[in-house]
């Protein structure tokens, strides 16, 4: 399955549409996908680095390289590649998604402060529902306004009282 920038996808990883018009680029990307499949990640990393060093600075090349770095545990390099990809991508959902991936890479690299700073910087770009107040169900609103307070443990016990017989007997599932 091929994914391209700006397309509605489930992840931020995408390929350049050049694979349809540039046969050499298509061969390189097919080789890289083969390396993913056969788990020869270092070969794919070398191919992507050579492509970029040869002057092909397409953002999708950096996201591919970042994915390879991330998958091989080279989180700092993944973060650097995502920063470069983001800089080469117009503002929008794809750039926001790259920022989220970069925050994860920074945390995995152990650079917690940089990850937090980037998360704060990216926060205004995220859809409101991601950081807005959580909506509460009618029952939760009534509980909040009723003045009756119970502990979380009491509410949990009440909600699991009709659970399976294993739960009621004290056995763990």
């Amino acid at each position: 399955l091929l994914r391209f920038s700006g397309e509605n996808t489930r992840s931020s990883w995408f390929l350049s549409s050049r694979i349809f018009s540039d046969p050499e680029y298509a061969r390189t990307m097919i080789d890289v996908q083969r390396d993913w499949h056969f788990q020869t990640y270092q070969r794919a990393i070398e191919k992507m680095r050579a492509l970029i060093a040869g002057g092909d600075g397409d953002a999708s090349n950096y996201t591919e390289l970042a994915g390879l770095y991330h998958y091989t545990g080279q989180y700092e390099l993944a973060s650097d590649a995502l920063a470069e990809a983001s800089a080469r991508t117009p503002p929008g959902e794809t750039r926001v998604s790259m920022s989220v991936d970069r925050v994860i890479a920074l945390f995995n690299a152990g650079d917690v402060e940089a990850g937090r700073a980037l998360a704060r910087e990216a926060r205004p770009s995220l859809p409101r529902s991601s950081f807005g107040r959580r909506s509460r169900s009618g029952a939760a609103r009534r509980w909040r306004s009723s003045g009756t307070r119970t502990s979380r443990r009491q509410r949990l016990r009440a909600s699991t009282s009709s659970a399976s017989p294993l739960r009621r007997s004290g056995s763990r599932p």
Side-chain angles (χ1 to χ4, degrees):
L1 179 63
L2 304 175
R3 300 189 186 280
F4 302 97
S5 179
E7 180 184 10
N8 184 13
T9 64
R10 290 175 282 175
S11 75
S12 61
W13 310 113
F14 62 91
L15 296 171
S16 171
S17 59
R18 285 182 30 227
I19 64 168
F20 296 118
S21 61
D22 183 346
E24 185 61 32
Y25 182 76
R27 276 190 288 280
T28 301
M29 295 313 295
I30 290 168
D31 285 347
V32 168
Q33 296 308 307
R34 187 177 296 125
D35 289 330
W36 272 105
H37 179 74
F38 290 116
Q39 300 177 3
T40 51
Y41 306 116
Q42 189 57 42
R43 288 178 56 185
I45 289 171
E46 290 169 11
K47 288 173 191 166
M48 293 309 300
R49 290 175 67 185
L51 188 65
I52 291 168
D56 192 342
D58 194 302
S60 61
N61 296 336
Y62 286 96
T63 61
E64 188 74 25
L65 184 59
L68 289 159
Y69 282 144
H70 185 89
Y71 200 78
T72 57
Q74 300 176 71
Y75 302 115
E76 189 173 323
L77 292 172
S79 171
D80 294 344
L82 284 166
E84 189 62 40
S86 184
R88 295 168 182 266
T89 302
E93 288 181 24
T94 301
R95 186 187 279 182
V96 171
S97 185
M98 285 180 197
S99 295
V100 171
D101 289 338
R102 187 165 176 233
V103 167
I104 293 166
L106 287 166
F107 277 108
N108 286 335
D111 196 349
V112 175
E113 288 307 313
R116 284 183 181 148
L118 182 59
R120 285 185 197 104
E121 180 183 314
R123 185 176 179 173
S125 303
L126 295 172
R128 178 73 178 135
S129 62
S130 296
F131 284 101
R133 290 186 70 194
R134 286 185 280 170
S135 64
R136 293 191 171 91
S137 67
R141 280 192 301 274
R142 284 190 298 278
W143 173 80
R144 280 275 202 206
S145 63
S146 70
T148 305
R149 302 279 193 244
T150 55
S151 71
R152 184 172 185 263
R153 180 175 283 162
Q154 289 169 324
R155 290 190 312 275
L156 185 58
R157 276 192 201 133
S159 70
T160 59
S161 64
S162 62
S164 73
L166 289 176
R167 258 330 245 173
R168 277 187 261 135
S169 68
S171 304
R172 298 212 181 254

